[in-house]
Amino acid sequence: MTIDDALATASGEPLPVSGGAGWSAANLPWRLAETAMAGALAGVLIILAWLKLRPDLTLAANGAFFWIKAAYPLAIAACALVAATRLARERRGADVAFGVAAVLAGLMLVAAAVQIIDLPTEMVLAMLWPDGAICVANVLTLAAPMLLLTAVGLRRVELERPAATGFACGLFCGGVASTVDGLHCWQETYAFVGPWFSLAMLACGAVEAGSLKIPSLIERGRGPPPQAVGG
């Protein structure tokens, strides 16, 4: 039993069913935090070995937008962590956390729309293809270890809303991965970061939602085992 489990029992809450590697609804935030730390380290190694650091990293770190680009996905990840925790524990508040994340994304998209108006057509088209597609692919690549660890960890945890919980967990992983991707991504405009980082995080959420919902549907489809008829 973890410390969180003991606290849950002391407060009168039902003790959640543990999943793989000690995962449970009670200790979900700590497991996700551990996954984020391991995933961030893996992401940095992937960038160093394959994607490469952006050549102007030192110069870019002195600018305000570099930190805005890091703070945005981190804020989304924080909202997703709250939502995932509330959903897993069957508590209220997940919709508020999702709402805050939606507002943050909306503000970024508004800033992107305003900026696109003044950009050359050639630059806007480059953001659509191939730069935008590459950004989404890179974030999914960096998030893949975290998505896998989370899916495995939660595979035996009994969740009331597996799709929604999976989406929140995937959104969290995508936010962490997008922040790490800032070490590689050289784009410095709201017009790029707003839509493409947002889409990449949503894609991570969709992947994790499917990874938890599909097995749940299969399990329900099997139904209870047939009972033997007494003679």
Side-chain angles (χ1 to χ4, degrees):
M1 177 181 290
T2 65
I3 294 177
D4 279 340
D5 293 338
L7 292 175
T9 303
S11 63
E13 297 180 5
L15 189 63
V17 177
S18 296
W23 287 63
S24 71
N27 64 27
L28 179 61
W30 311 114
R31 291 293 177 260
L32 286 178
E34 293 166 355
T35 299
M37 289 187 289
L41 176 59
V44 171
L45 294 177
I46 291 173
I47 289 175
L48 292 175
W50 178 33
L51 298 178
K52 306 303 180 185
L53 290 171
R54 55 183 295 181
D56 63 339
L57 180 59
T58 302
L59 180 63
N62 292 323
F65 191 80
F66 177 87
W67 300 106
I68 293 174
K69 190 165 92 171
Y72 168 55
L74 272 183
I76 297 296
C79 293
L81 178 62
V82 173
T85 301
R86 306 301 287 185
L87 286 166
R89 296 177 179 177
E90 301 178 30
R91 305 284 292 276
R92 295 179 179 178
D95 53 345
V96 175
F98 280 135
V100 173
V103 169
L104 293 174
L107 292 174
M108 286 293 290
L109 292 175
V110 168
V114 171
Q115 197 173 59
I116 284 175
I117 296 174
D118 297 325
L119 291 178
T121 303
E122 296 79 8
M123 187 174 180
V124 175
L125 291 176
M127 291 179 184
L128 296 175
W129 188 269
D131 290 358
I134 292 173
C135 173
V136 174
N138 286 343
V139 172
L140 284 169
T141 298
L142 296 175
M146 290 180 281
L147 294 173
L148 179 60
L149 286 174
T150 303
V152 171
L154 290 175
R155 73 188 186 280
R156 293 185 60 190
V157 177
E158 293 183 2
L159 299 172
E160 181 68 22
R161 300 172 61 187
T165 307
F167 177 79
C169 291
L171 196 64
F172 171 79
C173 296
V176 174
S178 297
T179 303
V180 175
D181 187 51
L183 299 175
H184 162 74
C185 178
W186 55 270
Q187 297 282 356
E188 289 288 320
T189 62
Y190 289 102
F192 185 89
V193 173
W196 294 117
F197 272 38
S198 300
L199 181 59
M201 289 186 284
L202 286 173
C204 291
V207 168
E208 198 71 355
S211 71
L212 293 183
K213 181 62 175 179
I214 292 174
S216 175
L217 291 174
I218 294 175
E219 189 66 26
R220 289 181 183 179
R222 290 174 179 172
Q227 295 182 354
V229 178

